[in-house]
Amino acid sequence: MAGGKETPRQKMIGMMYLVLTALLALQVSNAVLEKFIFINKSLERMAVDYESKNDQTVANIDAQVKKRNNLKEEVAILDIAKDVQSETIKVMKDLRDLKEEMVEVTGGRDPETNQLVGAADYDKVSTMMLQQKGPTGKTKGVELQNLLNDYAQYLVGKTGSKYSDDFPPIAEDAKDIPEFASDPNQKDKRFPELFFENTPTAAGMASVSYLETEVLNYERKALEILADSVGAGEVSFNLICISAQRASAAPASCP
């Protein structure tokens, strides 16, 4: 990674780069597995920090709306922000439940040390994500990909199509990721295989924790757009139209 002062976002990307490159190794030592555990914990702490800051953004929008005497169009912006927050909470719960399922299928945690019993298990997480079917009848890996990419599209719907470039798919196949697109060993892999094929439990959990930070970073961007639009006439009005159209009650003047 480049020198100089790094933002939390850059540090997170650097840690995930470590995870992904380690997964490409032919053999993973116990020392590397321990690093996966450390990386996972760091990513989880980062997620908590993101959540706290995002909650504060919603609180700031609420305070600003009240300060401006609850203007109708700005109350609607606040409602959209709360919708985004609620949807993010649902997605985060699914991701955290997925990690707990990984823990369970690989033997749980040692009751004395709380360490992962199956941290080095290569088979169970891979089988769970690539072969086990979820509620929709698709594999859990495909369901995860759909969950994340549907969330990105949800945010486009809440902020407006002009911001679609800010919310590209979160869970991409190898061919869509520059670091892997030209790698003959990786370029043909779909998202589930890229993230979970032959993956030890600790690395699988770290990968999901990375995806958590991606979700929360997307939430951050959406909330910042909404926060900036409070009191900003044209943008506010466009967002009102989007929200009203979803409720089938858009004003006649909406595009």
Side-chain angles (χ1 to χ4, degrees):
M1 299 296 291
K5 186 176 181 181
E6 292 183 327
T7 66
R9 171 77 174 157
Q10 289 170 323
K11 291 178 181 178
M12 179 270 291
I13 292 172
M15 285 188 287
M16 191 55 200
Y17 177 80
L18 213 79
V19 173
L20 292 176
T21 52
L23 286 174
L24 300 178
L26 294 176
Q27 294 182 341
V28 178
S29 67
N30 287 335
V32 174
L33 287 173
E34 290 174 359
K35 299 303 185 296
F36 283 139
I37 294 172
F38 294 147
I39 289 169
N40 183 57
K41 289 181 178 179
S42 295
L43 290 168
E44 288 181 335
R45 286 194 295 269
M46 187 172 291
V48 171
D49 182 55
Y50 266 131
E51 285 177 311
S52 177
K53 291 179 179 177
N54 291 347
D55 288 346
Q56 185 59 54
T57 299
V58 175
N60 290 344
I61 295 173
D62 190 7
Q64 179 70 0
V65 169
K66 290 177 180 175
K67 181 179 179 181
R68 294 167 62 85
N69 298 318
N70 295 307
L71 298 174
K72 182 179 179 181
E73 61 272 21
E74 295 185 352
V75 170
I77 297 295
L78 174 60
D79 289 341
I80 295 172
K82 290 180 178 179
D83 287 344
V84 168
Q85 186 179 45
S86 295
E87 187 66 19
T88 305
I89 289 171
K90 293 176 186 176
V91 173
M92 289 296 294
K93 182 180 186 304
D94 286 345
L95 293 174
R96 286 165 175 161
D97 286 349
L98 183 63
K99 285 195 297 187
E100 285 307 306
E101 188 174 354
M102 290 179 178
V103 173
E104 292 174 9
V105 300
T106 55
R109 298 182 183 274
D110 185 292
E112 294 184 0
T113 65
N114 200 41
Q115 298 299 311
L116 293 171
V117 172
D121 188 296
Y122 270 84
D123 298 323
K124 293 186 176 66
V125 166
S126 180
T127 299
M128 169 185 158
M129 297 304 294
L130 303 184
Q131 299 181 28
Q132 187 176 335
K133 301 291 181 64
T136 68
K138 301 181 184 298
T139 64
K140 285 184 175 290
V142 172
E143 287 190 337
L144 175 60
Q145 184 174 22
N146 291 341
L147 172 74
L148 294 168
N149 293 342
D150 287 349
Y151 175 75
Q153 280 300 302
Y154 170 85
L155 294 181
V156 172
K158 286 295 182 180
T159 58
S161 59
K162 65 180 290 186
Y163 296 105
S164 59
D165 289 345
D166 291 312
F167 304 105
I170 296 173
E172 296 182 304
D173 298 331
K175 64 181 177 59
D176 300 315
I177 302 174
E179 290 82 357
F180 300 105
S182 59
D183 186 332
N185 296 316
Q186 306 296 326
K187 64 180 182 179
D188 295 326
K189 290 185 178 181
R190 301 293 301 275
F191 163 80
E193 288 77 25
L194 183 64
F195 269 66
F196 301 108
E197 187 176 47
N198 298 322
T199 301
T201 307
M205 293 178 66
S207 295
V208 177
S209 292
Y210 161 73
L211 294 169
E212 289 177 8
T213 64
E214 286 290 272
V215 166
L216 293 168
N217 185 52
Y218 272 44
E219 182 193 31
R220 175 191 63 79
K221 290 192 289 186
L223 292 176
E224 286 181 354
I225 290 169
L226 295 169
D228 289 343
S229 71
V230 172
E234 181 180 352
V235 177
S236 294
F237 183 71
N238 287 339
L239 288 170
I240 297 306
C241 288
I242 292 167
S243 182
Q245 286 166 348
R246 288 177 177 273
S248 300
S253 55
C254 280

